[in-house]
């Protein structure tokens, strides 16, 4: 190990190192809290002054981060936040946790990473460790981040250290959190890997070193592509079951009893969240540069992307049974967060379903205990009246008033027995309502028998 690396390692082991986190969102705030809890003086840097103020007031805006913990760390002087990259000059380590979305063209939008790295580069000093955590295409750390950091004259691997370590946090998961999910770490050289591993091992139970940043970048994309492709398969099987009149939920649940060689994935109204619908396209974009066609990724994207349309078709069928059309009907959507028990609506398929229903003339309402307000720019609002919406209180009267209720996200706090009992018709895309009922139309399962034989054509 070089003398500079040795010195930083000593500072990390003795907890004298000052740690920084750029981007205090779903990933960055929990990490900053873990580092501060581990005993490092930690500074969070974010361009959003509201988040910075919230942290400095000792409050939390991320459900998985306990407010009392933030308050205690701030009070003890171990955690603070700022909008100024000037703080970098006082830090020994810095983790970058900024967004990596897609552009409309499905190309990577690297502007947030560029902004963060340029901010750090202005105050980079010898002996620092920089770790990129944002999910991104293989090659980013060495091809994109390293040249920006070296622009001021310092050399990676000599004057400062550089690694990639993917974030694997699963918001809302009560069992696995930043602390107990193994951390994959790939540095640009052995010193960088060792230093990043040492920093994380103060706060995280298990470190998995790999041979390069590129391997670490690829690990994350494999994990998320695995999910996107398997959800795509589950959705295709659901469409098949729907056509064949077989209950896909019963099929997957029974298949999951096989103790080896099978892992259950369930269908749904489409992909959501900041990761699964986006990350595979970072990989296919990069592969395309080498003339490689990522067929599984494209196919899964196309199946998953079509699910909101299929759900709207189910709504039309359910209304048809009542001799109603989507146009003019009141449709109550249950759950707009992209998955259960969280408040994150990024890329949520519920927004697509609501927009499609709105475009077809439905009076769209929603209820989500975690999302009190949806502004028009969140859900697009079709091309007629673009309006903000407020979550409906989920009362028996509100359910009974709707022509159709659509369960898109199955938050656990909702009383689904009440929904089933009160609704005229329910489209259940999550198997939230157990058993078969005359008013429940499940995604990927036989629908209820029609009350009357459909009218036969007269010969
Ligand atoms: N949310 C997840 O479940 C999850 C899981 C694994 C990996 N990731 C990845 O982690 C990264 C961060 O995701 P997130 O969900 O925490 O995003 P987020 O939007 O919740 O938080 C990002 C934060 O970065 C800040 N920011 C943006 N540009 C900045 C800049 N130039 N300088 C300083 N701050 C800046 C934003 O204000 C925001 O507070 C993404 O690459 C994402 O793909 C997210």
């Amino acid at each position: 190990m070089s003398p500079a690396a040795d010195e930083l390692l000593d500072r990390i082991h003795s907890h004298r190192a000052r740690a920084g986190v750029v981007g205090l969102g779903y990933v960055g705030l929990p990490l900053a809290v873990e580092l501060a809890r581990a005993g490092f003086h930690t500074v969070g840097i974010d361009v959003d002054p509201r988040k910075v103020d919230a942290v400095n007031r000792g409050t939390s805006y991320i459900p998985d981060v306990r407010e009392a913990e933030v308050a205690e760390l701030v009070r003890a002087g171990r955690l603070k936040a700022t909008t100024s990259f000037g703080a970098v000059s006082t830090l020994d380590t810095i983790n970058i946790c900024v967004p990596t979305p897609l552009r409309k063209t499905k190309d990577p939008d690297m502007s947030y990473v560029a902004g963060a790295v340029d901010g750090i580069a202005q105050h980079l000093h010898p002996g620092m460790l920089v770790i990129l955590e944002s999910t991104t295409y293989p090659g980013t750390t060495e091809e994109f981040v390293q040249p920006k950091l070296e622009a001021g004259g310092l050399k990676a691997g000599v004057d400062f250290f550089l690694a990639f370590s993917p974030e694997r946090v699963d918001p809302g998961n009560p069992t696995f959190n930043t602390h107990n999910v193994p951390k994959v770490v790939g540095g640009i050289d052995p010193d960088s890997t060792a230093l990043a591993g040492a920093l994380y091992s103060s706060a995280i139970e298990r470190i998995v070193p790999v041979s390069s940043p590129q391997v670490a970048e690829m690990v994350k994309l494999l994990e998320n592509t695995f999910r996107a492709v398997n959800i795509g398969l589950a959705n295709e099987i659901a469409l098949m079951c729907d056509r064949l009149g077989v209950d896909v939920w019963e099929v997957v649940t029974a298949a999951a009893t096989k103790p080896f060689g099978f892992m259950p994935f369930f269908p749904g109204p489409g992909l959501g969240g900041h990761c699964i619908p986006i990350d595979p396209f970072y990989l296919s974009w990069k592969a395309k540069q080498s003339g490689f066609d990522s067929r599984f990724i494209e196919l899964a994207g196309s199946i998953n992307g079509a699910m909101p349309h299929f759900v709207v078709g189910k709504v039309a069928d359910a209304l048809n049974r009542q001799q109603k059309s989507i146009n003019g009907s009141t449709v109550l959507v249950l759950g707009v967060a992209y998955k259960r028990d969280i408040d994150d609506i990024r890329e949520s398929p519920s927004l697509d379903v609501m927009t499609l229903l709105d475009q077809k003339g439905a009076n769209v309402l929603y209820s989500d205990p975690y999302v009190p307000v949806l502004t028009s720019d969140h859900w697009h609002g079709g091309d007629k009246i673009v309006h903000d919406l407020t979550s409906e209180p989920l009362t028996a009267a509100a359910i009974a008033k709707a022509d159709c209720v659509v369960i898109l996200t199955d938050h656990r706090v909702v009383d689904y027995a009440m929904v089933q009992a009160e609704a005229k018709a329910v489209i259940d895309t999550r198997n939230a309502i157990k058993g078969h009922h005359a008013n429940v139309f499940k995604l990927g399962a036989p629908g209820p028998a029609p009350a009357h034989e459909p009218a036969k054509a007269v010969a």
Side-chain angles (χ1 to χ4, degrees):
M1 198 170 243
S2 72
D6 221 17
E7 187 179 334
L8 181 55
L9 190 64
D10 184 48
R11 290 176 73 76
I12 291 171
H13 281 154
S14 62
H15 291 157
R16 284 180 295 120
R18 291 176 63 89
V21 175
V22 182
L24 294 173
Y26 286 94
V27 166
L29 185 63
L31 177 67
V33 166
E34 284 300 333
L35 290 169
R37 252 168 45 130
F40 297 105
H41 278 97
T42 304
V43 179
I45 303 173
D46 201 293
V47 288
D48 184 346
R50 288 167 307 175
K51 287 187 176 150
V52 167
D53 289 346
V55 171
N56 288 334
R57 278 198 316 273
T59 55
S60 171
Y61 44 87
I62 301 286
D64 290 343
V65 175
R66 285 194 310 115
E67 189 146 296
E69 188 146 47
V70 178
E72 194 185 312
L73 292 167
V74 170
R75 220 178 10 251
R78 292 233 295 280
L79 177 65
K80 65 177 179 187
T82 174
T83 54
S84 164
F85 277 88
V88 173
S89 56
T90 68
L91 301 174
D92 297 296
T93 68
I94 190 117
N95 295 63
I96 305 168
C97 309
V98 295
T100 42
L102 287 175
R103 296 188 190 283
K104 280 205 168 65
T105 51
K106 295 220 161 168
D107 289 349
D109 176 356
M110 299 302 287
S111 60
Y112 301 91
V113 176
V117 175
D118 289 341
I120 294 167
Q122 285 176 23
H123 304 279
L124 187 71
H125 54 88
M128 263 194 100
L129 167 66
V130 180
I131 307 174
L132 178 63
E133 294 216 12
S134 301
T135 307
T136 183
Y137 59 84
T140 305
T141 306
E142 284 163 294
E143 296 162 13
F144 187 83
V145 175
Q146 186 172 335
K148 283 181 176 294
L149 293 176
E150 288 181 333
L154 296 180
K155 184 113 192 64
V158 178
D159 303 308
F160 68 96
F161 306 97
L162 179 61
F164 181 83
S165 179
E167 178 52 56
R168 292 161 141 180
V169 71
D170 180 21
N173 190 321
T175 314
F176 294 107
N177 49 48
T178 305
H179 180 65
N180 63 3
V181 175
K183 198 89 171 95
V184 172
V185 177
I188 57 151
D189 59 6
D191 281 359
S192 298
T193 307
L195 288 167
L199 178 71
Y200 288 127
S201 62
S202 313
I204 294 168
E205 282 175 6
R206 188 172 157 225
I207 310 303
V208 184
V210 294
S211 61
S212 67
Q214 214 170 354
V215 169
E217 288 156 347
M218 192 74 185
V219 165
K220 175 70 186 177
L221 293 182
L222 168 62
E223 290 168 5
N224 283 0
T225 300
F226 174 83
R227 282 190 63 74
V229 167
N230 277 288
I231 293 169
L233 175 63
N235 279 332
E236 184 165 73
I237 297 288
L239 299 180
M240 220 185 273
C241 283
D242 209 274
R243 188 76 62 87
L244 298 176
V246 180
D247 186 329
V248 71
W249 308 94
E250 192 181 354
V251 171
V252 178
T253 307
T257 59
K258 187 180 179 189
F260 48 86
F262 185 83
M263 183 184 283
F265 282 84
F266 290 93
L271 285 185
H274 184 37
C275 297
I276 312 296
I278 291 173
D279 301 346
F281 291 100
Y282 268 67
L283 188 52
S284 59
W285 174 84
K286 182 68 180 175
K288 215 172 272 166
Q289 317 233 306
S290 301
F292 189 91
D293 210 6
S294 315
R295 287 169 293 169
F296 270 112
I297 294 176
E298 299 296 336
L299 179 60
S302 133
I303 293 171
N304 293 329
M307 291 309 289
H309 295 267
F310 185 74
V311 173
V312 170
K314 286 251 187 235
V315 173
D317 290 348
L319 289 170
N320 195 39
R321 289 280 179 96
Q322 302 174 45
Q323 299 182 330
K324 289 178 184 161
S325 61
I326 291 179
N327 194 353
S329 290
T330 295
V331 181
L332 174 63
V333 164
L334 300 192
V336 293
Y338 80 86
K339 69 171 184 176
R340 84 158 51 139
D341 300 344
I342 64 164
D343 65 352
D344 192 347
I345 57 168
R346 288 177 295 179
E347 310 292 324
S348 173
S350 302
L351 306 178
D352 296 329
V353 171
M354 289 171 75
T355 299
L356 289 169
L357 289 168
D358 178 73
Q359 285 167 346
K360 290 183 188 301
N363 170 32
V364 182
L365 308 174
Y366 87 96
S367 178
D368 189 317
Y370 296 94
V371 185
V373 178
L374 267 187
T375 64
S376 53
D377 36 315
H378 280 138
W379 73 287
H380 319 309
D383 48 14
K384 47 170 206 138
I385 311 161
V386 178
H387 53 290
D388 296 354
L389 289 178
T390 309
S391 175
E392 301 286 321
L394 201 55
T395 58
I399 293 165
K401 216 163 74 187
D403 297 301
C404 183
V405 176
V406 191
I407 302 170
L408 295 176
T409 306
D410 52 343
H411 293 309
R412 269 181 280 233
V413 293
V414 172
D415 179 351
Y416 293 104
M418 191 254 286
V419 173
Q420 185 276 319
E422 299 297 334
K424 294 188 183 87
V426 186
I427 309 301
D428 182 0
T429 68
R430 300 286 188 177
N431 197 27
I433 296 173
K434 304 301 171 215
H436 296 277
H437 305 272
N439 61 342
V440 178
F441 298 74
K442 282 193 192 183
L443 171 71
H452 307 287
E453 280 295 305
K456 290 203 173 66
V458 181

